[in-house]
């Protein structure tokens, strides 16, 4: 196997590993608290709920919501 082909194979493997490592953070990650809340509702197969109140904390937010006859936080 010549050096050029070996280098190409190494780069292909490196790109595949990089995409595999970064994909979950890009796909599942959120850039805002509201987006994270909406993705959480989708993962539990309900929603979208009506946001009644947003409580801000120094390190996060709590969304008080109502969906059908249930309340969520």
């Amino acid at each position: 196997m010549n050096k050029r082909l070996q280098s190409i194979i190494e780069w292909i493997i490196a790109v595949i590993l990089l995409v595999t490592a970064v994909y979950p953070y890009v796909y599942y990650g959120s850039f805002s608290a509201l987006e994270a809340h909406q993705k959480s509702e989708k993962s539990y197969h309900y929603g979208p709920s009506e946001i009644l109140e947003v409580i801000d904390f120094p390190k996060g937010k709590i969304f008080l919501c109502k969906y059908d006859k249930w309340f969520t936080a």
Side-chain angles (χ1 to χ4, degrees):
M1 188 181 301
N2 63 21
K3 286 248 188 209
R4 182 178 167 97
L5 183 58
Q6 184 179 1
S7 176
I8 291 172
I9 291 172
E10 287 176 358
W11 275 104
I12 290 172
I13 291 171
V15 168
I16 290 171
L17 289 174
L18 181 67
V19 168
T20 303
V22 171
Y23 177 76
Y25 296 105
V26 172
Y27 182 73
Y28 296 113
S30 303
F31 293 107
S32 71
L34 181 59
E35 186 179 346
H37 169 70
Q38 291 169 342
K39 285 184 178 182
S40 172
E41 285 185 340
K42 285 182 184 179
S43 68
Y44 287 112
H45 307 291
Y46 74 92
S49 61
E50 175 188 351
I51 298 175
L52 301 175
E53 188 174 345
V54 178
I55 302 172
D56 290 317
F57 287 102
K59 293 187 178 183
K61 294 183 179 195
I62 294 179
F63 294 96
L64 300 175
C65 306
K66 180 183 177 190
Y67 177 72
D68 199 18
K69 57 185 175 183
W70 298 284
F71 291 97
T72 62

